[in-house]
Amino acid sequence: MFSLQEKIVLITGATAGIGLACAEIFAESGSDLILCGRRASKLSKIANNIKKTYGVNVYSFKLDVRNKKNVEYAIRSLPDDWKKIDILINNAGLGRGLNKFHEDDTDGWEEMIDTNVKGLLYVTKEVLPLMLEKGEGHVINIGSIAGHEVYPKGAVYCSTKHAVDAITKGLRMDLLDRRIRVSTVDPGMVETEFSQVRFHGDKEKAANVYRNMHPLSAKDVAEGVLFCATRPPHANVNQMVIMPSVQASATQVYRKEELPAEDN
Ligand code: NDP
Ligand code: 8X3
């Protein structure tokens, strides 16, 4: 197994959900962490708490991955010791709105494309030269079941996650001879802040997404990411799809209330 002791792991979008769960599980495994996200005060509380709980080093900074110049500056101005990044977890992302294409708002499209696709590209472009110089590394992208299937009202979100799938595959090809592994972890429904963000803070609508079913937790996904990161160097998990047991596809979810009365 690949030891994570004192490895440096950069996680984008570490202030909530899957990114935060990854931060905790990698810290528990002994990794030092570089954490970023837009909510600076939340991030600094998380960083302090992780340092105190797990005794690892944490370097954190406010970053909006959509801003190319800020991404370049943030990575290029890392202290030298922190530039030796072993693992990059490209997690920052969002769904904004769930509407028919012709009724949808283009601002949400920009947000999703700029974050899920362009932000991931900007961060990866800055981190890869550091891994190439080091002669090894692992890029783990958080994709989605939405990168394998398209569902109604999700044309743009799904297209961003299809792009993550294509970027993952292309990167793997281009880095084949460079000892840099590239994986994608693609979850189905995970109960995080995702649906609240998608529905612009509407908590009732968000809760309804997970009504009468048992979704994945952020920790379930982080455990999958940890599995990918701890394979021995000759082995790579190209793609890991993790679904709630009651979700068969992006559109088919078994909810308890939908059982015939006698089975309930
Ligand atoms: P959350 O909303 O709980 O967390 C999203 C994280 O991304 C936050 O830390 C947020 O931090 C960060 N983020 C969003 N936009 C930016 C930005 N522009 N710059 C930097 N950080 C940003 O959602 P999840 O944990 O569920 O989502 C994480 C990833 O998992 C996303 O890529 C999502 O598409 C994917 N995913 C989620 C699924 C789900 O059902 N929840 C299923 C499949 C995939 P801040 O606001 O502080 O910037
Ligand atoms: C986010 C979850 O269910 O909208 O990728 O595809 S879902």
Side-chain angles (χ1 to χ4, degrees):
M1 210 167 94
F2 187 71
S3 167
L4 294 173
Q5 282 294 327
E6 291 170 28
K7 292 282 185 287
I8 298 181
V9 182
L10 191 166
I11 304 170
T12 65
T15 53
I18 295 167
L20 173 55
C22 286
E24 280 170 349
I25 211 164
F26 278 82
E28 198 179 6
S29 306
S31 302
D32 292 330
L33 304 177
I34 304 175
L35 305 179
C36 56
R38 292 166 302 175
R39 286 170 286 178
S41 72
K42 206 162 184 237
L43 189 64
S44 103
K45 276 186 204 139
I46 287 167
N48 287 332
N49 189 40
I50 287 180
K51 277 189 233 172
K52 218 165 53 193
T53 310
Y54 302 104
V56 298
N57 299 308
V58 183
Y59 187 92
S60 66
F61 51 88
K62 180 178 172 170
L63 181 67
D64 185 333
V65 297
R66 293 174 295 181
N67 187 318
K68 185 162 79 159
K69 288 269 167 274
N70 288 357
V71 171
E72 286 170 359
Y73 177 79
I75 306 294
R76 290 176 197 181
S77 60
L78 282 171
D80 283 348
D81 282 350
W82 283 103
K83 282 189 172 145
K84 297 169 189 153
I85 298 166
D86 296 284
I87 298 169
L88 164 63
I89 303 175
N90 275 317
N91 163 77
L94 80 166
R96 191 65 101 182
L98 190 66
N99 302 302
K100 289 192 174 175
F101 185 92
H102 52 283
E103 292 163 359
D104 210 1
D105 149 24
T106 55
D107 290 346
W109 298 357
E110 310 277 6
E111 253 188 295
M112 290 188 280
I113 293 167
D114 290 351
T115 311
N116 303 359
V117 184
K118 291 167 73 180
L120 180 146
L121 291 172
Y122 298 153
V123 174
T124 309
K125 180 85 168 69
E126 283 305 307
V127 172
L128 272 181
L130 304 175
M131 290 183 172
L132 287 166
E133 195 182 320
K134 206 170 172 293
E136 60 184 354
H138 195 164
V139 178
I140 304 177
N141 294 330
I142 306 301
S144 170
I145 184 66
H148 301 252
E149 299 174 48
V150 181
Y151 51 81
K153 304 181 179 174
V156 178
Y157 178 72
C158 293
S159 75
T160 67
K161 291 299 181 178
H162 276 67
V164 173
D165 184 53
I167 293 163
T168 304
K169 288 172 177 155
L171 265 177
R172 192 182 300 124
M173 290 168 187
D174 292 346
L175 293 166
L176 202 53
D177 58 346
R178 306 306 290 266
R179 298 183 67 219
I180 297 176
R181 293 184 280 181
V182 188
S183 306
T184 179
V185 173
D186 299 344
M189 294 161 77
V190 193
E191 192 163 11
T192 59
E193 293 178 8
F194 180 87
S195 290
Q196 284 184 44
V197 171
R198 168 169 266 176
F199 298 121
H200 300 272
D202 186 331
K203 290 201 164 114
E204 206 178 314
K205 253 185 161 173
N208 196 43
V209 172
Y210 313 107
R211 166 186 49 89
N212 291 337
M213 57 87 64
H214 193 158
L216 296 171
S217 66
K219 188 173 178 221
D220 292 324
V221 182
E223 284 170 348
V225 176
L226 185 75
F227 180 84
C228 296
T230 50
R231 292 315 85 211
H234 71 280
N236 185 45
V237 179
N238 284 0
Q239 184 171 78
M240 179 186 279
V241 179
I242 317 177
M243 303 284 276
S245 305
V246 292
Q247 184 178 14
S249 71
T251 50
Q252 195 185 8
V253 180
Y254 165 72
R255 298 184 196 268
K256 200 147 191 280
E257 65 183 358
E258 286 158 13
L259 271 180
E262 64 272 19
D263 294 337
N264 254 321

